[in-house]
Amino acid sequence: MRAVRAETPARELFRDAAFPASDSSLFYNLSTPLAQFREDITWRRPQEICATPQLFPDNPWEGQVKQGLLGDCWFLCACAALQKSQHLLDQVFPPGQPGWSDQKYQGFFTCRIWQFGHWKEVTIDDRLPCLAGRLCFSRCQREDVFWLPLLEKAYAKVHGSYEHLWAGQVADALVDLTGSLAERWSLKDVMKASGQQDRPSGGEHRTCRQLLHLKDRCLISCSVLSPRAGARELGEFHAFIISDLQELRSRTGQGILLLRIHNPWGRRCWQGLWREGGEGWNQVEPAKESELLAQLQEGEFWVEEEEFLREFDEVTIGYPVTEAGHLQSLHTERVLCHTRTLPGAWVTGQSAGGCRNNSCFPCNPKFWLRLLEPSEVCVAVLQRPRRRLVSQTRALAGASPAPVNLPGKDYQAVGLHIWKVEKRKISLPRVLSAPPVAGTACHAYDREIHLRCELSPGYYLAVPSTFLKDVPGQFLLRVFSTGKISLSAVRLATKDASPGSALPAGEWETVQLRGCWRAGQTAGGSRNFASYPCNPCLPFSVPEGAGPRYIRITLQQHCRLSDSQLHPIGFHVFQVPADGENQDACSLLLQEPLLSCVPHCYAQEVSRLCLLSVGNYRIVPSTYLPDTEGTFTVTIATRIDRQSIHSQEMLGQLLQEVSFMAVMKA
C-alpha cells in the first residue's frame, strides 16, 4: 500500500492593509496621465514577475535607475545618491532583511525615510504595480533587481499614493533619503559674470568646474524646465543624473569640459555635437573618443559645458554625509559636525508677520544662535507640507480631476534673515531695521531654503518668515556648523499662564530621549508586574551647580489625541547611588523610586516638575499593562545657572529664551 505524503501548507505572505494593492494606493485624484492605465494595472510579487528575484545586483550598473510610466524622475535621481554610498543605502534599506530565497521571507520589506527631522520606518508588502506582467513604474537596468521599485513603493506610501509622486524637486527627495541638505544652482546664474560673489545672501560664485571636485563625493542632478528649439528630445520638467565629468585637452591645447548625463528614461536621446558620431569628437584624439564612448551605458550621453549651460536650467547637489552622519560642506569640504534642530510655527494673528516689507515682521518666530568659535554655518528652514484639499476618496468616487500638482504648490514662499546682536539687551525694532549679516535673496516656494555663512563668535538672531503675513505654517529650523553652537527659541512670556503650565522663569536646557515599548522585549508594564524591569531605562544626570536644580520631566506617547490606541502611561525616576555606576538596571529598578508620575493616565503626555540634587538618574517610562506596544519621547528640561537673555519686543513685552542644547536617541 502506497503512503500518502501530506503537503506542507503554503505560507501566508504579508498584505499591507494600510497601503493595499488597489486604486487607493495608485491614484490621488486621477489628474495625471497615469489615470489611463487604471483598468490595466495589476499587482504582482517579484517571484511572480521573474524566476530568481534579488534585492541588489553584483554589478552596480545593473542596479541603476530606470523610469517607467510614473513622472517621478526627481525621486529616481535622488535614489542614485544611495548607489554612491553604502552607508547611506544601509540607512534607507536596513541590511539583513530576508529575501525571496530565504526561509524567513514573509512578503514584506522595511525602508527608512527621513521626515521632518526623524527617520521613519516604513514597512510595505512586496506586491508591485505591473502592466502585462512587467513592472510599470521604476525598475533597475536588470529587471530581476528590486531594491528600487520597493523603495519607490515605500516613498509612495509615505506620500499617500503613487500619483502623489508625479512631479517634484530632486532636492526634496535627496533630503528625504539622506537627512542632508541640497543646493539648487540656476545655470543662468552660472553663466553670468562673477561679480555677484559678495551678495548679502551668502551665495557662492559657481562654475561648472566646481562640479569636478564634487562628482565623487555627492549626487549631482540637472533639470530641464522647458525645452529649447534644438533639443526637444530632453523633454520638459525632466531631471537627469550627472554621472561623470571629464576635463580634456583638445588637439589645439584648449580645455574642454564634458559632462556625462544619465537619462532615467533609459534611452540616448541627445543629438548634440558630442553624440556618437558627432562633430565634437573631431576636437580630441580618436583613442580618447573611443575611451569615453565606451563608458556610456544605456540612457547616457556626453555633452560639452557650453551646450550644457545652454540646454539645461538647473543643477541640484546633495551635501555629502560622512559615515558618522555629519554633513560635509560643498564649498570647503569641512565637516559640519555640530547640529541643532528646533521646530517653529507661523500662527495667524500672533507670529505670522510676513516679510520685511510688513510692519509686523518683528512678530515672526525668532531664534538665538550662539557661536562659540569662528564657524562655517548652514542654517535651513524646512516647511511641513500643508494638507492637500482634495480627498483621495472623493476623487476616486468620480469627482472632476484637479490640475497636476507641480513642485512648490504645497509650500509658502519662505525667507530667512540673520542679524548679529549683543549678548544682553537689544532693541528689536532697531536690530531688525539694520541690514542683516546674511539673508536669502528672495522668498522662495521651496520646501527647504538655507543660508551658508562664515560667522564670527557671538550671538545672532535668526528670523524665518513667509512672504505674506497671517499665513499659517509649521517649520523645522536646522543649523549645521563646523564649530560649537547653541540654538534657542525666543518665546513671548505670557502673563496669563496658569500655575504649573509653564517652566519657571530662567534659561533651560532640554534633552529629548526617544524609545519604544515592544511586546516580549521592552513592554514590561507597571510596577505591579514582575516584567517591569524589562521597560526602557533612560539615563540622565543633573550637573553641579549652586544647590538642587529644577527639572521638568515629560513623557509623551506618539499617537493622535483621537486615536483609540491611547495607552495609560506613567514613569518612575530612580537615583543611581554614587558607588553604583556599574549596578545593573534590573537590580536598580527593584528598589523604591525616588519620585513617580503615577497613576498611569490615558493621556498623550504626562509631566512632573521636581527639584533634584547633582547626580545620575534613570527614568523608566511604562504603560500600565505589559506587552502594550508604542513609541514615546521623554523630554528633560533642566534649569541652568547662567542668566536668561531678554530682549525688548516692539510693544515692550519681555522675551524669554528657552534653550534646546541636545537631542539624544535612546
Side-chain angles (χ1 to χ4, degrees):
M1 183 175 177
R2 174 183 286 179
V4 179
R5 186 174 60 185
E7 293 187 5
T8 303
R11 272 182 300 175
E12 179 106 16
L13 296 179
F14 174 67
R15 292 171 173 260
D16 187 2
F19 198 68
S22 66
D23 281 0
S24 64
S25 299
L26 288 171
F27 304 106
Y28 160 56
N29 58 13
L30 299 173
S31 65
T32 69
L34 189 62
Q36 63 186 296
F37 302 102
R38 183 179 181 183
E39 302 298 327
D40 303 316
I41 293 177
T42 60
W43 298 77
R44 299 191 178 191
R45 296 188 189 268
Q47 63 269 41
E48 299 169 334
I49 299 173
C50 64
T52 55
Q54 53 185 319
L55 199 55
F56 299 103
D58 295 328
N59 181 348
W61 176 81
E62 294 174 342
Q64 282 191 340
V65 303
K66 199 170 183 180
Q67 187 178 355
L69 297 175
L70 190 62
D72 64 346
C73 56
W74 60 283
F75 169 68
L76 301 183
C77 287
C79 288
L82 304 180
Q83 296 177 297
K84 299 175 76 74
S85 171
Q86 187 62 46
H87 71 272
L88 289 181
L89 185 59
D90 289 344
Q91 172 70 60
V92 171
F93 235 115
Q97 301 188 58
W100 298 274
S101 61
D102 196 308
Q103 288 295 320
K104 296 181 179 179
Y105 164 73
Q106 294 181 347
F108 67 87
F109 289 88
T110 297
C111 300
R112 296 192 193 106
I113 309 295
W114 191 90
Q115 293 283 282
F116 207 67
H118 306 290
W119 286 99
K120 177 180 180 180
E121 284 200 350
V122 185
T123 298
I124 54 167
D125 64 39
D126 60 357
R127 295 177 293 174
L128 298 169
C130 295
L131 274 176
R134 298 179 64 191
L135 293 170
C136 60
F137 298 151
S138 75
R139 56 190 182 276
C140 296
Q141 293 289 350
R142 267 189 62 166
E143 294 193 26
D144 60 353
V145 174
F146 286 93
W147 75 272
L148 182 64
L150 289 171
L151 180 56
E152 181 185 51
K153 182 174 183 178
Y155 201 60
K157 181 177 180 179
V158 167
H159 283 74
S161 72
Y162 278 95
E163 195 172 45
H164 274 107
L165 303 187
W166 196 288
Q169 292 286 359
V170 178
D172 295 347
L174 270 173
V175 172
D176 290 343
L177 295 180
T178 65
S180 178
L181 291 174
E183 285 193 7
R184 294 166 57 195
W185 296 1
S186 167
L187 294 179
K188 299 300 170 286
D189 291 342
V190 173
M191 294 176 69
K192 291 177 182 178
S194 61
Q196 301 182 12
Q197 195 167 358
D198 297 324
R199 290 177 296 176
S201 66
E204 305 292 328
H205 173 51
R206 298 156 177 159
T207 69
C208 281
R209 277 174 168 74
Q210 274 185 278
L211 303 180
L212 278 168
H213 305 292
L214 298 171
K215 66 175 184 176
D216 296 324
R217 297 169 48 211
C218 51
L219 177 109
I220 309 173
S221 172
C222 56
S223 302
V224 174
L225 303 181
S226 57
R228 313 300 193 273
R232 292 192 179 276
E233 64 271 17
L234 294 179
E236 185 177 17
F237 293 109
H238 191 42
F240 303 77
I241 302 160
I242 300 178
S243 49
D244 193 15
L245 294 96
Q246 294 282 340
E247 196 165 26
L248 313 177
R249 287 290 171 187
S250 70
R251 293 179 176 181
T252 60
Q254 292 182 321
I256 301 173
L257 181 64
L258 291 183
L259 299 92
R260 193 168 95 212
I261 310 296
H262 175 203
N263 186 350
W265 285 339
R267 59 178 183 267
R268 297 185 190 179
C269 59
W270 180 244
Q271 297 300 317
L273 294 176
W274 295 85
R275 68 186 184 278
E276 191 169 0
E279 298 176 6
W281 297 106
N282 296 333
Q283 301 178 46
V284 300
E285 297 296 333
K288 197 64 178 177
E289 175 187 0
S290 300
E291 176 191 339
L292 294 182
L293 288 176
Q295 294 176 10
L296 295 179
Q297 307 287 354
E298 184 181 1
E300 292 186 333
F301 56 92
W302 289 102
V303 60
E304 191 265 333
E305 180 182 15
E306 184 179 343
E307 292 177 313
F308 176 73
L309 292 172
R310 184 174 66 245
E311 304 298 345
F312 292 84
D313 295 291
E314 188 175 76
V315 164
T316 300
I317 309 167
Y319 275 60
V321 182
T322 68
E323 292 194 19
H326 301 308
L327 269 61
Q328 192 175 11
S329 171
L330 290 178
H331 306 279
T332 65
E333 300 189 24
R334 289 187 287 177
V335 177
L336 306 171
C337 54
H338 298 274
T339 305
R340 295 289 181 267
T341 303
L342 277 181
W346 297 287
V347 179
T348 303
Q350 298 181 33
S351 59
C355 67
R356 296 178 69 204
N357 297 336
N358 298 303
S359 60
C360 49
F361 175 79
C363 299
N364 280 301
K366 293 168 283 292
F367 298 85
W368 290 120
L369 173 63
R370 184 185 182 189
L371 273 67
L372 303 180
E373 54 191 306
S375 305
E376 178 181 357
V377 180
C378 289
V379 186
V381 179
L382 173 68
Q383 297 188 66
R384 186 189 286 275
R386 292 177 295 163
R387 291 183 178 179
R388 298 175 188 264
L389 299 178
V390 180
S391 75
Q392 182 170 286
T393 304
R394 178 177 176 272
L396 293 179
S400 300
V404 174
N405 291 295
L406 293 176
K409 292 298 182 182
D410 284 341
Y411 306 110
Q412 293 297 328
V414 170
L416 172 66
H417 296 84
I418 299 175
W419 284 266
K420 184 79 181 285
V421 296
E422 298 297 329
K423 183 179 179 180
R424 296 297 179 185
K425 285 189 175 181
I426 62 170
S427 168
L428 194 60
R430 187 181 304 122
V431 168
L432 298 185
S433 63
V437 296
T440 50
C442 62
H443 285 65
Y445 284 100
D446 294 331
R447 190 180 76 168
E448 186 168 43
I449 54 101
H450 78 275
L451 291 171
R452 176 193 166 273
C453 329
E454 295 282 350
L455 298 179
S456 59
Y459 280 88
Y460 295 83
L461 188 68
V463 183
S465 62
T466 56
F467 182 73
L468 299 174
K469 68 176 182 177
D470 288 333
V471 174
Q474 297 179 337
F475 63 88
L476 197 67
L477 188 72
R478 302 202 287 161
V479 183
F480 306 88
S481 172
T482 56
K484 294 180 180 179
I485 54 173
S486 65
L487 181 65
S488 309
V490 178
R491 302 185 189 277
L492 286 173
T494 55
K495 296 179 180 179
D496 55 350
S498 58
S501 64
L503 297 175
E507 189 176 352
W508 294 72
E509 287 184 355
T510 300
V511 173
Q512 290 184 328
L513 306 168
R514 299 183 180 90
C516 62
W517 297 292
R518 293 197 185 279
Q521 300 178 36
T522 58
S526 67
R527 296 183 73 224
N528 296 336
F529 300 92
S531 55
Y532 176 75
C534 298
N535 282 301
C537 186
L538 310 178
F540 79 99
S541 61
V542 176
E544 293 184 359
R549 300 288 187 95
Y550 276 108
I551 308 286
R552 179 178 287 282
I553 303 171
T554 303
L555 168 63
Q556 180 186 41
Q557 57 178 316
H558 297 172
C559 57
R560 297 181 296 273
L561 285 171
S562 59
D563 200 324
S564 61
Q565 297 301 312
L566 203 65
H567 305 307
I569 58 172
F571 62 83
H572 298 279
V573 177
F574 298 83
Q575 185 168 17
V576 179
D579 57 350
E581 283 300 320
N582 298 322
Q583 184 179 9
D584 65 277
C586 185
S587 61
L588 178 67
L589 269 54
L590 292 176
Q591 302 174 14
E592 284 297 312
L594 178 68
L595 58 94
S596 304
C597 185
V598 290
H600 290 69
C601 298
Y602 282 94
Q604 186 156 27
E605 70 175 40
V606 293
S607 181
R608 175 158 179 183
L609 180 65
C610 51
L611 200 61
L612 296 180
S613 302
V614 60
N616 296 313
Y617 298 85
R618 300 290 186 270
I619 300 174
V620 181
S622 63
T623 56
Y624 182 73
L625 294 175
D627 292 334
T628 303
E629 296 200 327
T631 58
F632 62 82
T633 297
V634 171
T635 303
I636 306 166
T638 304
R639 173 81 181 270
I640 55 180
D641 290 334
R642 61 178 179 267
Q643 287 187 324
S644 175
I645 297 172
H646 290 82
S647 304
Q648 291 186 340
E649 182 62 270
M650 210 163 56
L651 301 178
Q653 294 170 300
L654 289 179
L655 299 179
Q656 176 183 323
E657 179 187 17
V658 183
S659 298
F660 290 74
M661 302 298 291
V663 175
M664 294 176 55
K665 288 189 177 180

